[in-house]
Amino acid sequence: MYRYDEVDYRIVRERVEQFRDQTRRFLAGELSEDEFRPLRLMNGLYIQRHAPMLRIAIPYGHLASRQLRKLAHIARTYDKGYGHFTTRQNMQFNWPALERVPDILAELAEVEMHAIQTSGNCVRNTTTDAFAGVAADELIDPRPYCEIIRQWSTLHPEFAFLPRKFKIAVSGSVEDRAATLVHDVGLHVVRNADGEVGFKVIVGGGLGRTPMVGEVIREFLPTHHILTYLDAILRVYNRYGRRDNKYKARIKILVKALTPQGFAAKVEDEWLHLKDGPATLRDVDVAHYASFFNDPAYETRAANPEGFAAKLAEDRAFARWVEHNTRTHKQPGYRSVVLSLKKTGVPPGDITAEQMEAVADWSERFGFGEIRVAHEQNVILPDVKESDLYEVWQLARSQGFATPNVGLLTDIICCPGGDFCSLANARSIPVAEAIQRKFDDLDYLHDLGEIDCNFSGCMNACGHHHIGNIGILGVDKNGEEWYQITLGGSQGNHTAIGKVIGPSFAQADVPLAFEKIMNLYVEQRQDGERFIETVRRIGLEPFKERVYAKHH
């Protein structure tokens, strides 16, 4: 992992003391709310329904064990004993006292963390594949490039006040697991005709009230040009993006207005002034940042060792967990373990201080002290020997992490919704729990197979409902909470925006609607056909007829 140098430490410490004084002056009445608002937002502090909410950056979803222990300490000392992992691989604390936030930031600085640029109209936390560096299908490790982008974008004076927030995702694998097509800029690795590795550049993707799949504006960008090209994109956006209407200010609106070809032409013109300039990456620059992500000391091991294979054969519950909650690894004899934060009855993405400490311990005992946070709101131990998986599974069960539902219907991506967020139209947590209880029969759940279910409490789409195979959106109708269902969304290489199937449902009727959708899927599916494939083959009409029919 990247480690701070003295300059990094000094900048973060000075920033903490600066915010400590700003907070003191606000509490003393020397700053108005309007004056304090941009200052707190630049430090990741929102005012939510019940209390301030502090969003902490987890760069590209990577945590060291000491950092996770610090988050556990903060949860226990300054909050209510738990935190919430977000779809941008960050962590949110929902109950800190305003006057103690500078102390939290000071504690974070001790372990090379901060909350800078987790809100505001700036470049936000760059995200990537949670399996970066260990995935078997990886063409290039995206983490050095994420770190380069992070250093370039943090406190960049030219891009501190963009028309709106700006999100970048990087994928280094053949399969896009970073949702690059729904980011303001997505960089997806490709090989050109000469076999060279570079990035396909995608712009103008995004969700929210105007969901759009991004457009490719450059099929191949050599890796050493990523900063100069990002500079060109952001300069065009900064110059032409709308600032008169925040709902029209995201780059996707500009790309649509100019057309992808028109936007690309402006970027290429701007790039002529930047290409091969000082921001062009040298091999030595890339090698420097890549050195922070060298492989750990893997042992030479055989795949599927005898003891592991025997446990798979004799223990059905273990085999089921291995099938759904582990992923293949580039190193024979190792796997990545996905710890599910989607146990029924627990808000998706929430994790207690005790659980954080347990994960930190396991990362050191069974791995190399590293943890990943997935944008699907689960936690990953990236490097576990197959021979240790049975013990890890038993420990995961003891902490409530072993629900074998990763990638299945109850692995719901979900925002905090109206229980916490002041922007939400409806509560998402109780409805997600009701769906989980409806489908808590593991045999039936596994028979349904892979289904992405995403849930947002409002049009801001923090739960990414547009790209769920089944999406749920909380809406307000005359002061009451209702829920709109979409079908057909997907992420990855075949990203699509889901379509609304009809009128919204009362809270109590959502699980029943899901049951009808699943019943039709089971009736209509062909051998080996996943839910999303059935939806694409037969269309939405049969689902509409079933869900809204009076007698079924």
Side-chain angles (χ1 to χ4, degrees):
M1 297 181 71
Y2 175 76
R3 300 299 304 269
Y4 282 14
D5 61 21
E6 183 49 39
V7 174
D8 298 322
Y9 275 117
R10 188 171 69 246
I11 289 173
V12 174
R13 288 192 196 114
E14 289 176 354
R15 180 79 171 214
V16 170
E17 293 312 307
Q18 187 181 49
F19 186 63
R20 188 184 299 282
D21 185 59
Q22 292 162 351
T23 303
R24 180 195 61 75
R25 286 189 286 151
F26 172 69
L27 293 173
E30 297 171 13
L31 292 176
S32 68
E33 172 57 41
D34 286 344
E35 291 169 326
F36 185 58
R37 184 183 301 112
L39 303 176
R40 64 173 169 77
L41 287 175
M42 284 191 285
N43 289 281
L45 188 65
Y46 291 75
I47 300 300
Q48 292 289 40
R49 192 175 294 270
H50 306 293
M53 180 275 281
L54 180 63
R55 181 180 295 150
I56 296 166
I58 300 177
Y60 31 94
H62 271 231
L63 280 170
S65 54
R66 63 195 174 89
Q67 293 173 320
L68 188 55
R69 287 199 183 92
K70 177 62 77 174
L71 293 175
H73 165 72
I74 290 170
R76 187 176 286 123
T77 307
Y78 299 93
D79 208 86
K80 292 192 174 184
Y82 68 94
H84 175 79
F85 287 120
T86 75
T87 51
R88 291 207 59 71
Q89 300 175 302
N90 291 321
M91 170 159 277
Q92 292 180 178
F93 289 113
N94 286 303
W95 302 97
L98 175 59
E99 63 273 19
R100 302 194 74 186
V101 170
D103 295 332
I104 298 175
L105 297 179
E107 296 238 25
L108 289 170
E110 293 176 1
V111 293
E112 305 174 3
M113 298 183 77
H114 59 69
I116 298 168
Q117 291 185 202
T118 56
S119 60
N121 295 333
C122 54
V123 179
R124 302 287 188 89
N125 187 31
T126 297
T127 55
T128 191
D129 179 5
F131 301 97
V134 299
D137 67 338
E138 197 165 81
L139 296 181
I140 191 173
D141 187 342
R143 294 173 299 174
Y145 297 97
C146 290
E147 178 58 32
I148 289 168
I149 293 169
R150 185 179 78 90
Q151 296 217 10
W152 162 78
S153 62
T154 300
L155 304 178
H156 194 307
E158 189 175 347
F159 306 132
F161 297 99
L162 295 166
R164 280 289 280 144
K165 56 188 173 185
F166 200 88
K167 301 174 181 178
I168 301 172
V170 185
S171 175
S173 299
V174 174
E175 176 66 27
D176 175 15
R177 288 182 290 268
T180 59
L181 283 160
V182 288
H183 278 74
D184 296 301
V185 169
L187 299 173
H188 191 181
V189 69
V190 289
R191 284 191 191 278
N192 65 11
D194 296 325
E196 298 168 326
V197 172
F199 289 106
K200 182 190 319 184
V201 182
I202 304 153
V203 300
L207 301 175
R209 67 180 58 236
T210 312
M212 294 184 191
V213 176
E215 301 280 355
V216 177
I217 62 166
R218 183 168 257 274
E219 292 288 350
F220 184 84
L221 178 71
T223 55
H224 59 281
H225 286 311
I226 61 167
L227 290 190
T228 56
Y229 207 77
L230 285 172
D231 251 324
I233 292 171
L234 277 156
R235 284 186 176 184
V236 170
Y237 174 49
N238 219 5
R239 179 178 180 185
Y240 295 102
R242 290 181 60 173
R243 297 175 187 268
D244 61 321
N245 182 341
K246 72 175 186 178
Y247 300 118
K248 303 289 185 184
R250 295 292 292 269
I251 193 174
K252 59 190 174 185
I253 303 299
L254 178 63
V255 172
K256 185 175 183 181
L258 295 176
T259 73
Q261 296 76 19
F263 182 85
K266 289 189 179 300
V267 170
E268 294 288 329
D269 285 347
E270 184 65 32
W271 193 40
L272 289 176
H273 304 289
L274 299 164
K275 186 181 179 184
D276 298 322
T280 303
L281 296 177
R282 302 167 301 171
D283 290 344
V284 67
D285 299 323
V286 177
H288 171 71
Y289 289 103
S291 70
F292 294 101
F293 304 96
N294 287 335
D295 281 349
Y298 293 124
E299 298 175 14
T300 301
R301 308 183 69 85
N304 299 310
E306 187 176 333
F308 170 60
K311 288 294 184 186
L312 286 176
E314 70 188 37
D315 193 326
R316 182 176 176 230
F318 174 60
R320 177 177 270 174
W321 177 78
V322 170
E323 178 185 359
H324 292 283
N325 292 36
T326 71
R327 296 289 180 272
T328 55
H329 197 287
K330 68 179 184 181
Q331 185 72 15
Y334 285 80
R335 289 195 185 224
S336 298
V337 170
V338 184
L339 300 172
S340 172
L341 300 188
K342 313 296 175 60
K343 179 182 178 182
T344 299
V346 177
D350 277 13
I351 183 169
T352 67
E354 181 187 25
Q355 289 176 316
M356 289 185 230
E357 288 169 342
V359 174
D361 291 344
W362 302 341
S363 74
E364 293 170 349
R365 180 177 168 190
F366 299 104
F368 301 93
E370 184 180 310
I371 303 105
R372 311 286 181 85
V373 180
H375 76 86
E376 291 90 352
Q377 298 175 293
N378 290 315
V379 175
I380 291 158
L381 298 173
D383 306 295
V384 179
K385 297 173 196 165
E386 289 178 327
S387 57
D388 288 334
L389 282 176
Y390 194 75
E391 187 174 0
V392 171
W393 172 60
Q394 292 174 312
L395 290 169
R397 292 176 84 179
S398 71
Q399 288 288 345
F401 287 134
T403 307
N405 63 347
V406 174
L408 305 180
L409 180 59
T410 59
D411 183 15
I412 301 173
I413 294 176
C414 185
C415 72
D419 287 297
F420 296 98
C421 180
S422 58
L423 299 176
N425 291 321
R427 289 171 296 168
S428 51
I429 293 172
V431 181
E433 180 180 344
I435 294 168
Q436 288 173 324
R437 293 196 184 283
K438 186 77 176 177
F439 295 92
D440 64 353
D441 181 326
L442 286 177
D443 289 331
Y444 183 53
L445 185 67
H446 290 171
D447 178 63
L448 292 174
E450 296 175 19
I451 301 174
D452 293 335
C453 178
N454 297 15
F455 195 157
S456 302
C458 73
M459 286 303 294
N460 288 302
C462 293
H464 297 178
H465 66 279
H466 297 294
I467 54 172
N469 301 160
I470 303 180
I472 313 173
L473 170 65
V475 295
D476 178 276
K477 284 189 176 180
N478 300 318
E480 296 184 359
E481 297 177 3
W482 289 75
Y483 299 87
Q484 194 177 71
I485 292 179
T486 56
L487 291 180
S490 61
Q491 61 175 334
N493 293 3
H494 305 287
T495 295
I497 304 298
K499 294 182 179 177
V500 178
I501 62 170
S504 53
F505 299 88
Q507 179 176 327
D509 295 331
V510 175
L512 178 60
F514 266 57
E515 182 180 47
K516 292 178 178 177
I517 290 168
M518 290 303 119
N519 287 343
L520 183 70
Y521 161 56
V522 171
E523 293 167 16
Q524 295 290 326
R525 67 182 171 185
Q526 297 177 350
D527 285 347
E529 193 174 55
R530 295 179 300 145
F531 175 77
I532 184 63
E533 293 164 343
T534 300
V535 172
R536 289 170 180 159
R537 178 173 55 80
I538 69 176
L540 299 191
E541 284 304 319
F543 291 97
K544 292 180 182 179
E545 292 174 8
R546 177 64 60 89
V547 169
Y548 295 104
K550 291 184 179 179
H551 303 291
H552 263 291

